[in-house]
Amino acid sequence: MKKIRTIGVLTSGGDAPGMNAAIRAVVRAGVYNDMRVMGIRRGYNGLISGDMDDMTLRSVSDIIHRGGTVLQTVRSPEFETAEGLRKAMEISKVFGLDAVVAIGGDGTYRGARDICRLGLPMMVLPGTIDNDIGSTEFTIGYDTALNTVQDAIDKIRDTAYSLERCSVVQVMGRDAGYIAINVGIAGGAEVVLVPERRHDLMKDVIKPLLEARNRGKKHYIVVVAEGAGKAMEIADEIEKRTGIETRATILGHLQRGGSPTARDRVLASIMGMRAVELLRDGSINRAVCVQQGKIVDIDLCEAVDMKKSIEDNLFEISRILAQ
Ligand code: F6P
């Protein structure tokens, strides 16, 4: 196989804290290994339009602590078409790209799989706050989002306590409940609703709240993953059916911003470095992931098809400890 000398790096899909740390690692590890590194702007759209430039050691100075992504990002419908992929292949040849490191979520993985099948060597790193990538136990950005949401719930708890209210907090996660169940445990929520488990309003929300009241509780936190319901509607129902004064908070995009935690920076740095070393050693079309606590790499196509689920015992832990 041809030696990899020029690599591109891009971020795609929703931004996630730690993406900058991953870009920095790819650039610096690339330069260290005598590669030319090109920063591709605005995700796969940049690969289609040739929106890319050389990156140097200094172009990634002072970004490790910044949220978002300096390369910017998009979700690219064009890259899902045969024509978009064809244009991207042409551009990658024109710019002399031997491989591309793509950092993002499941859409990014599918895009990488599709273009690697046309012959552009790819490497993917998991970057999403949702933690919903089947091949990896942890994604870059998830830990920061957990901590951001946790901080918000702690603040909401202060006011819920003072006014003896119930607060319903809607958190991100798209179709996944990893953020919800984990902040539910960390924040002592009485009720956690996730998309992976269907819920019945009376049995799974109203009854546990009334039971908590009967055990002497005077304020309550309900965490609802965005894929499991709407905080406003649930809050209305709770107030109507229990008489407990209830407020709703939708945390929204503040969950995606902010300086990455140390854990996310380290994960991104190790993964970025690993991606470059794999390419240097001739491995292509791999997904870098965390499995059983270790950083490993697996076949990209296999990674795209992998599923994971929330461990059942987390729901039991959450329920028992919220008593
Ligand atoms: O995938 C990350 C994520 O923040 C999801 O949790 C959320 O559903 C979605 O992106 C929101 O996307 P947008 O920023 O396009 O509204």
Side-chain angles (χ1 to χ4, degrees):
M1 205 194 89
K2 188 178 162 225
K3 192 164 165 50
I4 289 176
R5 294 184 192 285
T6 302
I7 60 172
V9 56
L10 62 82
T11 49
S12 158
D15 56 292
M19 280 182 162
N20 284 327
I23 295 166
R24 171 181 177 270
V26 170
V27 172
R28 292 208 171 150
V31 171
Y32 180 78
N33 285 288
D34 299 321
M35 292 173 181
R36 178 181 179 206
V37 187
M38 306 208 70
I40 302 166
R41 285 180 289 270
R42 299 181 187 86
Y44 289 128
N45 280 359
L47 198 53
I48 291 172
S49 63
D51 187 5
M52 63 184 88
D53 265 322
D54 280 289
M55 294 187 87
T56 65
L57 292 177
R58 291 289 69 78
S59 49
V60 290
S61 292
D62 212 27
I63 66 168
I64 194 167
H65 62 296
R66 285 172 59 187
T69 157
V70 293
L71 289 175
Q72 301 187 288
T73 181
V74 294
R75 297 194 175 94
S76 172
E78 195 181 356
F79 202 72
E80 291 170 25
T81 66
E83 181 56 12
L85 290 169
R86 190 193 60 72
K87 283 190 201 163
M89 280 306 293
E90 242 172 48
I91 287 290
S92 64
K93 284 187 191 128
V94 170
F95 281 83
L97 294 177
D98 299 320
V100 171
V101 180
I103 308 157
D106 48 2
T108 308
Y109 277 41
R110 284 193 298 274
R113 175 201 57 197
D114 294 346
I115 194 129
C116 86
R117 283 180 173 156
L118 298 182
L120 178 62
M122 295 296 294
M123 194 61 69
V124 291
L125 305 186
T128 166
I129 64 164
D130 300 340
N131 201 36
D132 60 347
I133 304 278
S135 55
T136 187
E137 285 153 16
F138 290 101
T139 57
I140 297 164
Y142 172 56
D143 185 61
T144 307
L146 278 185
N147 282 284
T148 301
V149 175
Q150 192 53 66
D151 183 51
I153 290 181
D154 289 348
K155 288 174 174 151
I156 288 168
R157 177 181 280 282
D158 289 345
T159 169
Y161 164 84
S162 304
L163 284 145
E164 300 191 344
R165 280 178 175 161
C166 173
S167 263
V168 182
V169 186
Q170 184 176 313
V171 302
M172 276 188 170
R174 201 183 289 274
D175 303 320
Y178 292 96
I179 294 178
I181 186 61
N182 283 290
V183 296
I185 292 172
E190 278 66 33
V191 175
V192 180
L193 302 176
V194 297
E196 292 87 343
R197 296 188 150 204
R198 291 175 70 85
H199 70 265
D200 173 85
L201 184 78
M202 290 311 291
K203 186 167 134 303
D204 301 313
V205 182
I206 305 300
K207 182 163 172 267
L209 288 176
L210 291 175
E211 285 172 346
R213 182 200 61 190
N214 295 345
R215 284 194 302 271
K217 286 206 172 187
K218 292 190 166 30
H219 63 281
Y220 318 84
I221 302 287
V222 173
V223 174
V224 52
E226 62 181 342
K230 295 201 182 328
M232 301 285 185
E233 290 169 12
I234 294 169
D236 280 351
E237 290 294 334
I238 291 173
E239 188 159 302
K240 218 169 17 183
R241 291 169 198 260
T242 65
I244 301 168
E245 200 181 358
T246 304
R247 293 289 185 270
T249 307
I250 300 169
L251 292 181
H253 287 84
L254 74 81
Q255 296 164 92
R256 259 201 350 228
S259 184
T261 57
R263 187 174 175 159
D264 272 332
R265 296 181 201 191
V266 172
L267 181 65
S269 300
I270 295 174
M271 285 185 154
M273 180 118 179
R274 176 67 67 90
V276 171
E277 288 171 349
L278 285 164
L279 290 170
R280 176 200 65 195
D281 297 341
S283 271
I284 57 168
N285 306 332
R286 309 290 292 170
V288 180
C289 35
V290 182
Q291 287 185 359
Q292 294 177 341
K294 297 212 159 35
I295 308 284
V296 297
D297 58 282
I298 64 166
D299 178 72
L300 168 56
C301 296
E302 268 174 40
V304 171
D305 293 333
M306 282 173 81
K307 302 266 175 280
K308 71 176 181 188
S309 53
I310 300 175
E311 286 166 36
D312 275 339
N313 69 333
L314 291 184
F315 295 97
E316 205 188 347
I317 291 170
S318 165
R319 185 178 54 77
I320 293 172
L321 298 187
Q323 297 193 88

